[in-house]
Amino acid sequence: MDTAEKPAHASGEQDGGPGRGAVRRATALAGLGSVADVAAVAQLLTTESRQGVLVAGLLSVVTGTLGLIQLYGQPVRKRALVMVALIAVGAGLVGAMAQRYYADATAAPPPQATGAVATDPSTTPPRSTPPPSPSLSSSPSLSPSPSASPSPSAGEKIREAEATLRDQDYLDVESGRIGTVVPGESDLWYVSPYRSLWTAGGGEYPITPVDARPDAEACARALAARDYDQVEVGKLSPGDWACARTAEGNLVGIRFPAIPANGDAPLRISYVVWHATRAE
């Protein structure tokens, strides 16, 4: 009797052993995936590190999938639901970061070709050379002086205006035109779901918050000290200022008279544009 029952008892231990091991592995994977989700959400709310959020989201999806594989054949319990939740949260984070990368890629201006453009001589109308002026030809001491238009000096104010930006609006501060991105002209880009104000080209030009109303020199100093690609408007207070470099190389001071309460509300700003050279 004892001999007959022993194989059955041993077989039960063998069946239970792998099942318990799979549950332990699934539990460990659930813990790892939860840590990855918490790290991803923390980075999204603080530093907004895209690479960190993307890696943590992918890790959550992988651990959740491996956990479901470990629980295959087991009764559907809380562990399986946790794995499904890890996969869902991780996939959502990965999708959000992928959308940001896609938005930056489509907003970046195309590279500009360098070099002279060839022209067809047959299509170029002939130029007529005017006869020399008698007064100049008869007097060798006089020579015509080239007329040069005065260039604006650094720090000279170009424009001061107000604007209201909605989601995905691009603003050219020199002309005040709002619309879709225009390479080489658009300067500011508002992304309302995150209440973030970017420079055009997905943050190609520098922007930074400043402590008080700046002038051109203060903006130049601030941008030399701190160089960001976007400003989180939701973390600012009404009346705060920021400085940015425009696509044309000028400087712009941006004031936020009111902060949008949520991502559906438009952003109202006032701004001052100053002439500045790229050599600064």
Side-chain angles (χ1 to χ4, degrees):
M1 180 66 67
D2 294 339
T3 303
E5 292 179 354
K6 186 174 182 180
H9 180 66
S11 177
E13 288 182 350
Q14 292 175 359
D15 293 341
R20 288 196 297 270
V23 171
R24 286 196 294 270
R25 288 191 294 271
T27 302
L29 289 169
L32 179 59
S34 300
V35 171
D37 279 345
V38 172
V41 173
Q43 292 182 80
L44 185 63
L45 296 177
T46 56
T47 63
E48 290 194 1
S49 173
R50 300 183 188 181
Q51 292 84 356
V53 175
L54 184 61
V55 170
L58 288 174
L59 180 59
S60 176
V61 173
V62 172
T63 53
T65 304
L66 292 176
L68 283 180
I69 293 174
Q70 295 295 326
L71 295 176
Y72 180 76
Q74 301 288 334
V76 177
R77 294 179 181 174
K78 291 182 179 180
R79 293 184 182 88
L81 299 179
V82 170
M83 298 305 169
V84 173
L86 289 176
I87 295 173
V89 174
L93 293 170
V94 171
M97 291 303 102
Q99 182 181 7
R100 286 197 183 185
Y101 279 115
Y102 176 77
D104 292 350
T106 55
Q112 297 180 352
T114 58
V117 179
T119 59
D120 186 358
S122 62
T123 60
T124 304
R127 296 183 179 179
S128 58
T129 304
S133 173
S135 60
L136 294 178
S137 60
S138 60
S139 176
S141 60
L142 297 178
S143 60
S145 60
S147 59
S149 58
S151 59
S153 60
E156 181 179 345
K157 184 166 68 174
I158 300 175
R159 178 184 174 85
E160 185 170 0
E162 297 180 352
T164 300
L165 304 178
R166 301 185 182 275
D167 184 37
Q168 302 300 321
D169 272 350
Y170 287 84
L171 169 64
D172 176 16
V173 296
E174 283 86 0
S175 66
R177 183 173 56 253
I178 299 175
T180 56
V181 62
V182 178
E185 295 183 13
S186 298
D187 305 307
L188 300 176
W189 172 37
Y190 184 52
V191 184
S192 67
Y194 304 101
R195 290 188 295 173
S196 298
L197 185 65
W198 294 69
T199 56
E204 180 179 355
Y205 308 103
I207 187 171
T208 182
V210 292
D211 296 331
R213 179 188 178 98
D215 55 13
E217 293 182 0
C219 271
R221 289 194 302 268
L223 292 173
R226 292 178 295 177
D227 181 353
Y228 302 109
D229 54 10
Q230 54 96 13
V231 168
E232 297 184 40
V233 180
K235 295 183 179 180
L236 301 179
S237 300
D240 282 355
W241 284 80
C243 286
R245 179 78 65 180
T246 73
E248 294 84 352
N250 297 316
L251 295 165
V252 56
I254 310 155
R255 182 177 180 270
F256 303 90
I259 305 301
N262 52 62
D264 297 328
L267 173 66
R268 185 167 57 90
I269 61 172
S270 59
Y271 60 92
V272 185
V273 189
W274 300 282
H275 175 79
T277 63
R278 293 184 183 273
E280 291 183 349

